[in-house]
Amino acid sequence: MDLDLPNQDAVASKKRNGRWVVAVADGMGSRRLSHLGSKLATNLAVSCCLDNSEDVSAKELITDIYTQWLTGLYEINIEPNDAVTTLLVTWGNSKGDYRYIQLGDGVICSSNNNHSISEDELFSNETTGLGLSKKLSDWRTGRGKLDKANIGLILMTDGISEDIEDQLGFCNSILKRAQKGSLRAVKKNLKGLLHNWPTPHHTDDKTIAVVLINE
């Protein structure tokens, strides 16, 4: 069903000098310009991750992204409250080291770890985002290592993650299938999955990003 609404999800990625970064965001549907907030957030997250040193602290990086996002909105005369968006980012190097930050709903999963939910939690992040969050503690941060046992990462907005009970199993399945196929086949399979999403009458935007190691 085409509701003629702007896509509130956004995704951006880039590689430079042996480093890579992927960002996805989901603009809050109740905010009229959230599609602009999400696009700005992903683009700035990518540039900030690559422009800062690899060992930049999570606090410094988050502050840099948030400050630039607020400045960018100000320059186009948009109030942050009208452009609220989640933000999920992972970045790393050719050695397999990676880091991640997350604000708001959605999931970042590796082959063997759901970074978006702790063992002692029943639910993932409480709904928040850029334009709402005032605390560093609202962000999830961490790091990991990609290798033959942990072959990749998945980032997905809650249009996907909310419909999946076994998020880790879902991510692992996609990564294993992606590892066996060509890049073209991976894109085709993911596009088919999203276009034929099994949850009926589900109109939320859906975005998924896949990071695979080179063997």
Side-chain angles (χ1 to χ4, degrees):
M1 180 171 59
D2 187 356
L3 300 178
D4 195 28
L5 296 173
N7 186 352
Q8 290 157 343
D9 282 8
V11 60
S13 64
K14 194 170 186 178
K15 293 189 291 184
R16 185 205 297 166
N17 299 329
R19 296 170 63 188
W20 55 266
V21 54
V22 179
V24 301
D26 179 6
M28 191 170 291
S30 60
R31 311 303 168 108
R32 64 186 184 88
L33 297 175
S34 63
H35 59 293
L36 299 179
S38 61
K39 185 175 182 179
L40 180 62
T42 52
N43 288 336
L44 287 174
V46 166
S47 61
C48 287
C49 286
L50 293 177
D51 291 343
N52 279 284
S53 64
E54 281 194 62
D55 60 353
V56 63
S57 71
K59 181 179 180 180
E60 287 178 280
L61 181 65
I62 289 168
T63 300
D64 190 17
I65 294 171
Y66 215 151
T67 300
Q68 291 200 38
W69 185 78
L70 292 171
T71 300
L73 292 178
Y74 177 80
E75 290 175 349
I76 54 178
N77 199 30
I78 294 177
E79 291 292 330
N81 194 53
D82 291 330
V84 176
T85 181
T86 66
L87 182 61
L88 293 77
V89 189
T90 184
W91 70 102
N93 58 35
S94 56
K95 298 177 182 178
D97 302 309
Y98 71 88
R99 297 171 63 188
Y100 64 88
I101 57 174
Q102 176 176 350
L103 178 66
D105 298 321
V107 165
I108 301 174
C109 260
S110 70
S111 302
N112 52 28
N113 193 358
N114 185 339
H115 292 307
S116 300
I117 188 167
S118 304
E119 292 182 0
D120 59 349
E121 289 180 304
L122 295 177
F123 303 100
S124 58
N125 285 20
E126 180 182 341
T127 299
T128 187
L130 296 173
L132 288 181
S133 172
K134 304 293 185 184
K135 302 177 296 182
L136 183 64
S137 60
D138 288 338
W139 293 76
R140 291 182 180 277
T141 66
R143 62 182 67 229
K145 180 83 171 180
L146 297 179
D147 51 34
K148 290 185 177 180
N150 191 31
I151 60 174
L153 294 160
I154 298 278
L155 293 80
M156 52 186 168
T157 57
D158 66 353
I160 297 176
S161 61
E162 283 190 350
D163 286 348
I164 301 169
E165 289 187 11
D166 182 8
Q167 295 170 345
L168 187 58
F170 174 79
C171 292
N172 195 32
S173 174
I174 287 181
L175 289 168
K176 285 184 176 179
R177 279 183 287 170
Q179 192 181 41
K180 297 175 181 177
S182 66
L183 182 60
R184 179 176 294 183
V186 171
K187 289 182 177 179
K188 182 179 179 180
N189 289 337
L190 288 175
K191 186 177 290 187
L193 173 66
L194 296 182
H195 283 170
N196 299 286
W197 194 249
T199 305
H201 311 301
H202 194 299
T203 59
D204 197 4
D205 297 322
K206 301 170 185 64
T207 298
I208 185 167
V210 179
V211 178
L212 281 174
I213 62 169
N214 293 320
E215 291 195 314

